[in-house]
Amino acid sequence: RQLMLMAQAPNLAAFQEAMLMHQLPCFQFLYADAAGNLFYLYNARTGNKNAALSTKDTKPLDWTQPMDPSRDQFAWASIVAPANLPNVLNPASGYLQACGTPPWLATTKTGLVPADWPSWLVPEDSSYRAYRVNQILSAGPYVFEDMNAMLYDTLVPAAVDMVPLLLGMAEAHPDLVRKAHPDLVTGLQLLRNWNLA
């Protein structure tokens, strides 16, 4: 039902009201309308793990590890409401993106501070894909044809970091390169000539 109401929402208020149904357990959501509104919600249906702990528990817990199911304080005490999830409304940058990144990287200058959010709520790191999307979108504004061209962007963002690192390592250890398989020299030459796309 929530997905239907989101799709049919005639305006931002109706979209946000649909989000309050909280029927979807995950996903990052983006909203844009003809009035120029942009909205991002780092959506999750999760228990408030901070509230689940008693005041006696002072040692930080690693929520990425299995917890003892026999201890009641590990049970979800309450569900984090959609209004309390990280969100961005009408950023000054004029764009939003959601490539599986933390909410503070959904655009430039989100106003969200990573330290303000528990690590169990936002466990993701940024991705090269999100970095590239932010890089492209932050260079706007764009016309429709530019947006189409972005769909076919072929730059490999990880290569921008990795290729110089690999070449630098090879240059720093010529003795290892000489002793390696002969194809390594060919591979290194391919990397030197690669335009990273």
Side-chain angles (χ1 to χ4, degrees):
R1 179 78 179 141
Q2 180 180 336
L3 284 172
M4 289 287 293
L5 292 175
M6 288 165 58
Q8 296 169 349
N11 54 45
L12 176 59
F15 183 86
Q16 289 175 318
E17 186 175 338
M19 295 305 298
L20 293 177
M21 294 177 74
H22 214 190
Q23 293 179 344
L24 304 170
C26 56
F27 307 117
Q28 297 179 42
F29 285 101
L30 295 176
Y31 169 91
D33 63 26
N37 290 305
L38 295 174
F39 176 67
Y40 164 92
L41 177 67
Y42 183 85
N43 187 60
R45 185 167 173 83
T46 184
N48 185 342
K49 294 178 181 178
N50 289 349
L53 298 175
S54 71
T55 55
K56 293 181 232 173
D57 293 310
T58 55
K59 181 181 171 191
L61 295 172
D62 182 358
W63 290 103
T64 64
Q65 299 301 309
M67 295 293 157
D68 182 354
S70 65
R71 295 181 62 187
D72 289 340
Q73 71 265 36
F74 295 147
W76 288 3
S78 60
I79 301 295
V80 178
N84 295 329
L85 295 169
N87 64 83
V88 179
L89 177 62
N90 295 327
S93 65
Y95 77 91
L96 288 164
Q97 63 84 25
C99 293
T101 59
W104 39 88
L105 298 178
T107 189
T108 56
K109 299 179 184 174
T110 60
L112 299 173
V113 179
D116 291 345
W117 303 93
S119 59
W120 55 260
L121 179 63
V122 185
E124 295 95 346
D125 288 327
S126 190
S127 66
Y128 278 109
R129 179 179 174 212
Y131 171 78
R132 179 64 176 155
V133 171
N134 269 331
Q135 185 182 43
I136 292 171
L137 292 175
S138 65
Y142 295 104
V143 295
F144 180 75
E145 289 76 15
D146 297 324
M147 300 301 282
N148 277 340
M150 285 181 210
L151 292 174
Y152 301 102
D153 177 62
T154 59
L155 180 79
V156 181
V160 174
D161 290 339
M162 299 300 174
V163 168
L165 181 67
L166 291 170
L167 293 174
M169 289 168 53
E171 289 166 11
H173 300 283
D175 54 324
L176 295 177
V177 172
R178 266 193 316 277
K179 294 176 187 174
H181 191 280
D183 288 348
L184 179 61
V185 174
T186 303
L188 290 170
Q189 192 57 44
L190 284 171
L191 287 178
R192 285 187 194 95
N193 296 333
W194 185 27
N195 68 357
L196 308 181

